Amino acid sequence: MLQKPFVVANWKMNHGVKHSVEAAADIVVGLKQIPFTGGVVVCPVDTALMAVQTIVEESPVALGAQDVSWEDTGSFTGEIAPWMLREVGVDYVIVGHSERRKYLNETDEMVNKKTKNALEEGITPIVCVGESFEQRQEGEQEHVVMRQVQKALDGISLGPAHSILFAYEPIWAIGTGQAIDAEEANHMHSVINQILIDHFPDQVVKENTTILYGGSADEKNTPGFLEKQHINGFLVGTASIKSQQFVEVIKAVHNAT
Ligand code: PGA
């Protein structure tokens, strides 16, 4: 796993340009008080990317997008290619979030193509995987997540300059205020880690991959997750919307690592 922990803010469709800029500025200021050496990434809506970039450049905060096309150019109305994200300073992109899988019918194949396309442009994908409540009740969580990770990685190799992040997000814990048990999350992370070990050389797994937890992660529960072997950061939705709370999450992660 990448040695440094990551804390990623997924603002989803909550902030327009004005609020994204204000939140990013608060985080940049807040981070000055925390000697956090991990990665901090903010993912605003596309319309706010350029404005947020002007706030975070020259700061330790990196810019992420919430989605990317698997195509590079042409007649794909509404889509944005990785090189276009790159043009405005994007270094990370969330791929295959469960909300996109659910509402926009994103398939494992699309997730794979988007992941590949992002990597080819040097953008680090944050690939989201996770089971639904029904799948968990049926005891299918390992099978579901293994399939999602394996399909996302199909045909992918990582060059020394490329990294890939996975975010294990049990769908039934997202936005509920109730994160899952840290030990259970760690078990699912170990399942993902094993696939990474099977797919990539050891050195690549160690230096170019990491696994985040997402699903009601906040400033209170993150330290407990970080005690676990395979959990190395967070994809944060609700607790990232108020910038002060997100800074508290970063502080909690910093203090726990
Ligand atoms: P949540 O969202 O923190 O509100 O559960 C996480 C996510 O959907 O990435």
Side-chain angles (χ1 to χ4, degrees):
M1 279 209 259
L2 283 166
Q3 298 306 307
K4 63 177 187 177
F6 276 82
V7 190
V8 181
N10 177 9
W11 288 336
K12 308 189 180 184
M13 204 172 70
N14 288 298
H15 293 324
V17 179
K18 183 170 175 284
H19 283 127
S20 298
V21 164
E22 286 169 4
D26 286 348
I27 293 163
V28 169
V29 171
L31 256 186
K32 291 197 174 131
Q33 318 302 322
I34 314 168
F36 183 56
T37 52
V40 176
V41 183
V42 294
C43 304
V45 291
D46 288 339
T47 52
L49 285 170
M50 278 178 80
V52 170
Q53 167 61 7
T54 64
I55 304 296
V56 299
E57 66 184 348
E58 325 239 330
S59 88
V61 179
L63 188 63
Q66 297 179 14
D67 183 39
V68 67
S69 175
W70 64 75
E71 295 288 349
D72 272 328
T73 188
S75 304
F76 300 99
T77 303
E79 291 294 282
I80 300 186
W83 64 269
M84 295 168 177
L85 294 177
R86 210 61 181 136
E87 262 188 335
V88 295
V90 166
D91 286 323
Y92 295 84
V93 65
I94 297 170
V95 177
H97 191 280
S98 59
E99 287 148 13
R100 296 196 61 84
R101 292 182 192 254
K102 178 176 174 192
Y103 300 120
L104 294 144
N105 295 326
E106 279 197 8
T107 63
D108 288 329
E109 193 196 354
M110 293 177 192
V111 170
N112 174 248
K113 283 158 80 176
K114 289 178 176 201
T115 303
K116 266 187 198 148
N117 213 19
L119 282 168
E120 273 163 25
E121 191 57 39
I123 296 178
T124 300
I126 304 166
V127 181
C128 300
V129 297
E131 79 285 356
S132 67
F133 185 67
E134 294 72 27
Q135 288 164 333
R136 163 102 13 196
Q137 283 201 314
E138 295 296 318
E140 291 171 2
Q141 62 272 20
E142 289 181 18
H143 177 73
V144 168
V145 167
M146 281 168 79
R147 193 200 63 225
Q148 289 174 335
V149 175
Q150 276 159 349
K151 293 211 169 165
L153 289 175
D154 190 26
I156 286 180
S157 55
L158 291 179
H162 289 165
S163 296
I164 186 166
L165 276 57
F166 276 89
Y168 168 61
E169 299 204 303
I171 299 170
W172 46 281
I174 293 177
T176 61
Q178 189 62 52
I180 80 166
D181 179 63
E183 193 52 55
E184 183 51 31
N186 190 51
H187 170 68
M188 295 302 290
H189 282 227
S190 73
V191 168
I192 298 170
N193 194 52
Q194 188 56 50
I195 300 169
L196 296 176
I197 289 169
D198 293 344
H199 188 88
F200 295 119
D202 288 356
Q203 192 72 3
V204 170
V205 176
K206 214 164 140 213
E207 292 177 5
N208 304 87
T209 73
T210 206
I211 311 170
L212 315 179
Y213 169 77
S216 299
D218 63 22
E219 69 282 13
K220 294 192 194 76
N221 59 32
T222 42
F225 283 107
L226 287 169
E227 285 170 11
K228 307 294 174 195
Q229 187 188 357
H230 298 293
I231 302 177
N232 199 27
F234 302 93
L235 180 54
V236 187
T238 310
S240 75
I241 292 172
K242 291 204 176 90
S243 48
Q244 298 310 335
Q245 188 177 6
F246 187 62
V247 171
E248 290 302 315
V249 177
I250 299 167
K251 212 181 274 173
V253 172
H254 170 68
N255 289 336
T257 47

